[in-house]
Amino acid sequence: MKFAQFALLIVALIAVIASTAEAKATQVVRWNKKMSGKSTWFNGHDLKAVACYGDLENNSHVNAGDGWHIGAVHMNFYVKGEKAACFECAKISANGRSVIVRIIDDCAGCAPNQIDLTASAFKVLAPLSQGVVKTTYEFVRCPSSNLKWPKSPAIKKN
């Protein structure tokens, strides 16, 4: 009987450890290299207190606008985390259309190669009713004009 209880305790412990394990950082920001992925969209409450400003700029009061073309990725999947992906730009393509977004938020529920977009950015690629769209994406130099996101912090010179 004691062996069965011990075995059950071990199984439960392994399940707890597995469920709380952090995402393994395997993604890197690869410039001008197309990768396959998917995009989803977010709005409303999820636009409040975007992660990159709060964690890297000490300004947790930045709320994204739905008209902004921004994206969110699961920062824990990126080697160097937020410092690697925050404030970078990605060109996302689907259905013969493309949109450039600036990564300024964390998407804890996103899979690797998934970029969660504001509704305005997603609508460039597909109707919101689609919910998820298969994409290709690549990290690109952020444009310096016609911005659809805040001007600060300054664009990185990559």
Side-chain angles (χ1 to χ4, degrees), residues 28-36 91 136-140:
V28 293
V29 173
R30 292 184 177 95
W31 299 103
N32 300 309
K33 180 178 190 262
K34 288 188 179 179
M35 295 174 276
S36 296
K91 180 180 179 183
T136 59
Y137 70 95
E138 59 187 305
F139 287 95
V140 297

Side-chain angles (χ1 to χ4, degrees), residues 41-99:
W41 62 274
F42 65 101
N43 65 2
H45 176 72
D46 293 330
L47 295 169
K48 297 193 182 303
V50 292
C52 294
Y53 285 94
D55 296 346
L56 298 178
E57 298 288 310
N58 294 320
N59 185 355
S60 61
H61 302 291
V62 175
N63 297 323
D66 192 46
W68 295 1
H69 285 187
I70 60 170
V73 297
H74 194 323
M75 298 295 178
N76 287 346
F77 286 130
Y78 282 83
V79 175
K80 297 184 183 173
E82 291 170 330
K83 291 183 180 182
C86 276
F87 306 116
E88 298 297 353
C89 286
K91 180 180 179 183
I92 303 162
S93 302
N95 303 318
R97 299 183 202 122
S98 296
V99 63

Side-chain angles (χ1 to χ4, degrees), residues 6 12-13 17 21 26 48 52 59 65 75 84-85 100 108 121 123 129 132 154 157:
F6 179 73
L13 183 60
I17 290 170
T26 58
K48 297 193 182 303
C52 294
N59 185 355
M75 298 295 178
I100 295 178
K123 285 192 278 191
S129 60
V132 179
K157 304 289 185 203

Side-chain angles (χ1 to χ4, degrees), residues 12-22:
L13 183 60
I14 290 170
V16 167
I17 290 170
S19 69
T20 60
E22 287 292 317

